[in-house]
Amino acid sequence: MSVDRTHAAYEFLSSRRGKTFTVDELAGASGWKPTTVRTYVAKKWHAFLRREGPNEYTVATFDLSEEQFTGLQTQVTATPVFEPEYDYDVTLSFAGEDREYVERVASALHELGVRVFYDRYEEVDLWGKNLYVHLDDVYRKRSQYCVIFVSQHYADKVWTNHERESAQARALSEKSEYILPVRFDGTDLPGILPTTAYVDGNKYEPSGLALIIAQKTGLDTDLAGMLAYLRSWLPDYTIELEGTQVRFQCQVESYDGSFPARLLVEMYRQDMLDSMFLMPAIVPI
């Protein structure tokens, strides 16, 4: 980071409160490359800028001291590695008879980048363990949320009830919701009140339910941030989330291509979108 360039950028933005500027204008005034300006806009300046169009922004508010402004740029170059609080974003608890639907949910969650506990993804790790103890640990301590797929089949199973009891033990200690019920029928489960809000699994395709779960876990924040960052770099592109893919369309480049959302979210989390996706020009720029 150049102190002179940061000072020039601060002076530029300070003098344009309530005014509109282009990325190229700020790049010319500061000496930064346009790509550097877009990085700052996407990651650290969105609180005081309002986007007006491709490469065009208005300084909506700007009450930072120069020291505070300089600190923002330092944070961009020192983005911490993503360190989740839990081993899993969500665990799935279900009866074997409902596996076909749940497996498609698990697959969509995985493709979106959600860290999901689904038994078939854990076969090697589960091999040889005391499952009664291990699953209690997973469902009670190691996940941000637990999605329970409620059905008569679920109520009749010994193992699903063990998972439910572990999840409920965690829920009792939480100040916010932990158990997220998805209902296939009207079966009552002990400890889950009829007044508890639920999602009707009969009304959603598995991929649609996966998106709702992703939003609940907070992945939508990463998705939104990733999409905003890509759009700031690629203003000529229409960039949209379609299912578990991110689609890039550009008439100027005659380009239409898709990439896994999971891959791009992980790059965004690790602050590697620039070096591994954008700068190598995986999509035409």
Side-chain angles (χ1 to χ4, degrees), residues 152-271:
Q152 186 60 54
H153 300 302
Y154 188 99
D156 293 341
K157 302 286 184 180
V158 174
W159 276 106
T160 53
N161 280 286
H162 171 56
E163 295 167 2
R164 174 186 54 78
E165 289 170 358
S166 296
Q168 286 174 333
R170 159 73 175 278
L172 287 174
S173 65
E174 292 286 308
K175 294 181 179 179
S176 59
E177 64 274 16
Y178 170 63
I179 294 175
L180 307 177
V182 175
R183 287 191 174 275
F184 290 132
D185 57 37
T187 300
D188 289 328
L189 293 181
I192 298 183
L193 299 176
T195 54
T196 303
Y198 66 91
V199 169
D200 187 344
N202 299 301
K203 293 182 178 180
Y204 286 90
E205 289 293 320
S207 59
L209 179 62
L211 282 173
I212 295 174
I213 295 171
Q215 291 169 6
K216 189 69 174 181
T217 65
L219 178 67
D220 62 317
T221 301
D222 292 327
L223 281 169
M226 177 266 292
L227 291 171
Y229 188 62
L230 289 171
R231 288 164 182 158
S232 71
W233 268 79
L234 303 168
D236 295 330
Y237 279 74
T238 299
I239 304 173
E240 301 293 344
L241 180 67
E242 295 187 353
T244 60
Q245 301 286 307
V246 178
R247 186 176 181 183
F248 297 77
Q249 295 176 292
C250 180
Q251 291 185 349
V252 175
E253 299 288 347
S254 298
Y255 183 83
D256 188 340
S258 297
F259 296 86
R262 175 184 177 85
L263 173 65
L264 297 177
V265 165
E266 287 302 321
M267 288 183 186
Y268 177 75
R269 284 171 165 174
Q270 303 293 341
D271 199 22

Side-chain angles (χ1 to χ4, degrees), residues 89-135:
D89 297 312
V90 61
T91 58
L92 306 181
S93 181
F94 62 96
E97 288 83 353
D98 301 317
R99 179 179 292 279
E100 181 179 356
Y101 180 94
V102 175
E103 183 156 314
R104 292 168 63 192
V105 174
S107 177
L109 287 170
H110 179 74
E111 290 178 17
L112 284 169
V114 175
R115 295 168 305 126
V116 56
F117 179 87
Y118 173 62
D119 57 358
R120 285 186 174 171
Y121 295 168
E122 307 288 332
E123 288 180 346
V124 174
D125 186 53
L126 294 175
W127 192 9
K129 281 187 168 62
N130 181 327
L131 294 181
Y132 189 89
V133 174
H134 182 73
L135 292 178

